Amino acid sequence: MEILYLHGFGQFSPESTPQLQALRAAAFGCRIIAPAYHRDGDVLQTSIGTTLAEAAATIEASPQRRMHLVGYSFGAWLCALLAEHRPNLVERVLLLAPAIDNYERNYARKTASEWHMPRDFAVEVQSHSARPSITRPTTLVHGLLDDDSGGSAPCRISAWAENQPFAAVHLLDGVDHSLEPWLSGGAATGPSFAQVLKESLGL
């Protein structure tokens, strides 16, 4: 079984992140591909179109020409976009603390001088679905302590979930954007990360 993992925005070394480490521990025996999408380690060179195209090419080059997708934060939004645009390449999807409504949260209410990314990137963000259509079996996990400064406020996630056919949605009490303490097995409501991974991807 193969999984394509997309990391969060600003996470320059995916292998060192707790989200990917937890995924590798829970998905023992699966081949996990985790590309770094900040070009040359420079967040300002990030391109959504390039990232999606490279992810699609990676899947197309695999033996089955289909993969499961797991993404965290901005990477979860990218996974949802990839599944929306290229459902033929995707088996199942697990979205961890997805950062949706990116243009509205980060650019719409600010002047261009306040934007943390180049104008071309902001325009590219605006050109994609703020809340992608769910085209493949998809599970969503989000902490109720998350907010717009981290990923997305829970009210945004709830509104998205109400209008899309998610296979399962887990909104976790006492859990923030990092997904702690749930990710590391600490006290939190709902099933464990390993259980969600098993159920969502059919491991």
Side-chain angles (χ1 to χ4, degrees):
M1 181 176 295
E2 295 183 302
I3 297 171
L4 180 71
Y5 173 80
L6 295 180
H7 61 84
F9 199 86
Q11 293 183 320
F12 300 102
S13 178
E15 292 295 339
S16 68
T17 63
Q19 295 82 24
L20 182 52
Q21 290 173 356
L23 176 61
R24 288 201 182 280
F28 183 77
C30 296
R31 178 174 179 246
I32 300 173
I33 301 172
Y37 56 74
H38 295 313
R39 184 72 60 190
D40 298 324
D42 182 359
V43 69
L44 297 180
Q45 294 188 45
T46 305
S47 166
I48 297 169
T50 298
T51 300
L52 294 178
E54 291 179 348
T58 296
I59 297 172
E60 289 175 324
S62 69
Q64 301 300 319
R65 296 179 60 86
R66 292 173 71 88
M67 287 187 187
H68 295 305
L69 304 181
V70 178
Y72 166 67
S73 191
F74 188 80
W77 179 59
L78 293 174
C79 284
L81 286 176
L82 181 58
E84 178 184 54
H85 297 325
R86 300 295 302 276
N88 60 303
L89 301 180
V90 178
E91 290 286 355
R92 301 184 185 186
V93 185
L94 174 57
L95 306 178
L96 302 172
I100 60 172
D101 295 348
N102 282 282
Y103 188 82
E104 180 181 345
R105 291 188 297 105
N106 296 312
Y107 303 100
R109 294 180 175 81
K110 299 178 181 178
T111 63
S113 63
E114 296 176 299
W115 291 354
H116 64 284
M117 290 292 287
R119 179 181 293 275
D120 287 350
F121 181 83
V123 171
E124 190 178 21
V125 167
Q126 191 177 26
S127 73
H128 288 283
S129 302
R131 300 175 181 181
S133 298
I134 300 305
T135 61
R136 300 297 301 148
T138 300
T139 296
L140 187 159
V141 179
H142 206 78
L144 290 175
L145 295 182
D146 206 337
D147 57 32
D148 280 353
S149 63
S152 297
C155 62
R156 297 181 186 276
I157 297 298
S158 294
W160 186 30
E162 287 174 1
N163 289 286
Q164 293 295 327
F166 285 96
V169 176
H170 303 283
L171 300 177
L172 305 176
D173 286 325
V175 174
D176 61 18
H177 186 60
S178 71
L179 294 175
E180 294 296 355
W182 175 76
L183 192 69
S184 57
T189 58
S192 68
F193 176 71
Q195 290 173 317
V196 168
L197 187 67
K198 180 179 180 180
E199 292 169 3
S200 61
L201 303 188
L203 299 182

